[in-house]
Amino acid sequence: DPYPSSLYPGGISPSAAYLDGSFPNSLNDQGLRYNISVRYDRLKKTTTIMHEGGQDISTYQNYFYNDYYQVNKTIAGTSIAGKEIVLEHKFPVDYSDAVSLQMVAKNILSPVIEEITYQNSTVLKRVRNNYTNDLAITNGLILPSSVETAFGATGTYRTEVSFEKYDEVGNLLQKSYLDGPKLSYVWGYNRRYPVAEIENADYASVVSALGGASAVNTFAINSSPTESAVRSFIAPLRTALSGARVTTVTYRPLIGISTMTDLNNKMTSYEYDVFNRLSVVRDWDNNILKKYCYNYSGQPEDCDVVVYSSVAKSGSFTRNNCGANETGGAVTYNVAAGTYSSTISQADADQKA
């Protein structure tokens, strides 16, 4: 026995107490109780001193904490301004409404529910982040529902952004801004990645354009669709939604974006090296926009890019749209060697000339 019982009070060794999975009733009576002290060192104050114009200007920031070790107030000021800017944060533990109580019960403690900005003791601005677990919006999950702002101590809150619909795993499906468009999202790859952002269309219209809820759900839970399958499924969004502005994305799961098609239906593609690092970004004409090279310090760079330059070309052109009884003249047009380039092939460079 590596833990002979003769060395421990009452003959109870660690092997008897722990290694065989049992815990003798008399263990606590034998003095084998250990207290572990935990110490939290929290930042209290920072001070920055700048030497300017023959005088020292001191800028400070004080930090205050609640019982959950969260920064619930900061006070910042300078030695010459005579004004302090105070930021006060409130968390779910500071509220007693049903959603906040559920957040605390589920240990969701970190979201800032309200931020209040003061100058000295005067309230300048208040920002409130509202949460909900409404089944119709979040499927019962506790998620953000809106962001509201107000100015002064008594100003009325106004909603800046509303988060109006989520899927069953908490992905945002629809949001709207006070002075901006409504935005909807389509998710794919087993609901891990957003594949489309649609401006000026609600989510119900998006679902209808894609063939209904069942089709959207079947697409969303497919964990490894092909790139062409993704583009084919979301293609109707560009034609079926009048006035909508659509951006679409495909992915190489766990690696990165493979293509992004913008509002003008122009596609940018992304290529990766053997270590799954981004290496090339190409435009819709397959031209290289960016090339990334990776090397250790002191090693020569080797991007392994071949650039083809166009050859010299010359051609004679005759005008063919002259009026009656007129004959067009001939013009010789010359393109100097190297005027155009390509990273695809020599033929591609020459074709541009």
Side-chain angles (χ1 to χ4, degrees):
D1 186 349
Y3 304 102
S5 59
S6 60
L7 299 180
Y8 298 90
I12 301 176
S13 70
S15 61
Y18 301 103
L19 300 182
D20 65 355
S22 63
F23 198 92
N25 294 331
S26 60
L27 181 60
N28 287 333
D29 297 330
Q30 308 302 321
L32 295 181
R33 177 182 295 173
Y34 301 92
N35 293 322
I36 300 175
S37 298
V38 178
R39 173 179 173 178
Y40 294 94
D41 292 322
R42 291 166 288 175
L43 180 63
K44 183 178 180 180
K45 183 177 182 179
T46 61
T47 303
T48 304
I49 300 175
M50 298 181 61
H51 304 280
E52 185 176 327
Q55 63 176 333
D56 291 343
I57 301 175
S58 175
T59 301
Y60 61 89
Q61 188 154 340
N62 295 317
Y63 300 86
F64 301 87
Y65 300 82
N66 62 16
D67 292 339
Y68 292 83
Y69 305 102
Q70 297 169 303
V71 177
N72 62 354
K73 182 183 290 187
T74 62
I75 298 177
T78 65
S79 58
I80 62 172
K83 296 179 181 179
E84 289 184 327
I85 298 297
V86 179
L87 284 179
E88 182 179 3
H89 292 151
K90 294 185 178 181
F91 299 91
V93 295
D94 299 311
Y95 297 88
S96 58
D97 60 279
V99 173
S100 295
L101 292 175
Q102 285 191 38
M103 293 175 75
V104 174
K106 294 178 180 292
N107 206 36
I108 306 174
L109 306 177
S110 60
V112 176
I113 303 300
E114 189 170 18
E115 179 182 88
I116 306 172
T117 304
Y118 302 82
Q119 182 174 290
N120 295 335
S121 59
T122 301
V123 175
L124 300 179
K125 184 179 180 180
R126 294 169 289 146
V127 178
R128 186 164 63 194
N129 301 298
N130 297 311
Y131 283 73
T132 185
N133 60 352
D134 188 331
L135 283 171
I137 299 174
T138 69
N139 297 286
L141 301 174
I142 299 175
L143 295 168
S145 60
S146 63
V147 178
E148 300 175 316
T149 61
F151 295 92
T154 59
T156 302
Y157 273 107
R158 72 173 194 171
T159 302
E160 300 291 342
V161 57
S162 296
F163 306 102
E164 298 164 338
K165 190 171 184 60
Y166 296 84
D167 67 14
E168 52 262 50
V169 298
N171 293 323
L172 181 63
L173 299 177
Q174 178 179 305
K175 68 179 179 181
S176 61
Y177 292 93
L178 174 65
D179 298 316
K182 188 179 293 292
L183 297 174
S184 297
Y185 299 89
V186 177
W187 293 76
Y189 301 90
N190 200 22
R191 295 193 173 93
R192 289 178 295 171
Y193 304 110
V195 299
E197 180 186 71
I198 307 96
E199 296 183 29
N200 300 321
D202 59 33
Y203 186 69
S205 299
V206 169
V207 171
S208 177
L210 294 176
S214 178
V216 171
N217 183 67
T218 299
F219 170 80
I221 62 177
N222 186 347
S223 61
S224 55
T226 63
E227 190 173 293
S228 60
V230 174
R231 287 204 292 264
S232 176
F233 181 78
I234 58 183
L237 296 174
R238 296 186 182 274
T239 57
L241 299 172
S242 177
R245 293 158 53 88
V246 181
T247 300
T248 58
V249 187
T250 62
Y251 298 84
R252 292 180 60 184
L254 303 180
I255 297 175
I257 292 173
S258 57
T259 67
M260 178 178 291
T261 306
D262 65 16
L263 303 174
N264 298 313
N265 207 20
K266 300 292 188 180
M267 186 176 73
T268 302
S269 60
Y270 302 84
E271 299 173 10
Y272 300 83
D273 64 17
V274 294
F275 298 106
N276 294 329
R277 301 174 301 191
L278 181 62
S279 60
V280 178
V281 181
R282 297 181 185 271
D283 68 11
W284 54 92
D285 285 328
N286 212 34
N287 296 312
I288 291 180
L289 300 177
K290 294 181 181 180
K291 173 72 177 181
Y292 295 90
C293 306
Y294 302 88
N295 61 285
Y296 290 105
S297 176
Q299 289 184 334
E301 292 185 8
D302 180 13
C303 278
D304 194 27
V305 176
V306 178
V307 179
Y308 301 93
S309 298
S310 61
V311 299
K313 283 192 175 183
S314 179
S316 180
F317 302 90
T318 301
R319 182 171 179 175
N320 60 6
N321 62 344
C322 298
N325 301 319
E326 295 180 346
T327 301
V331 176
T332 300
Y333 182 75
N334 298 307
V335 178
T339 301
Y340 297 94
S341 63
S342 171
T343 58
I344 301 173
S345 66
Q346 183 66 54
D348 185 62
D350 294 341
Q351 191 276 333
K352 293 178 180 179

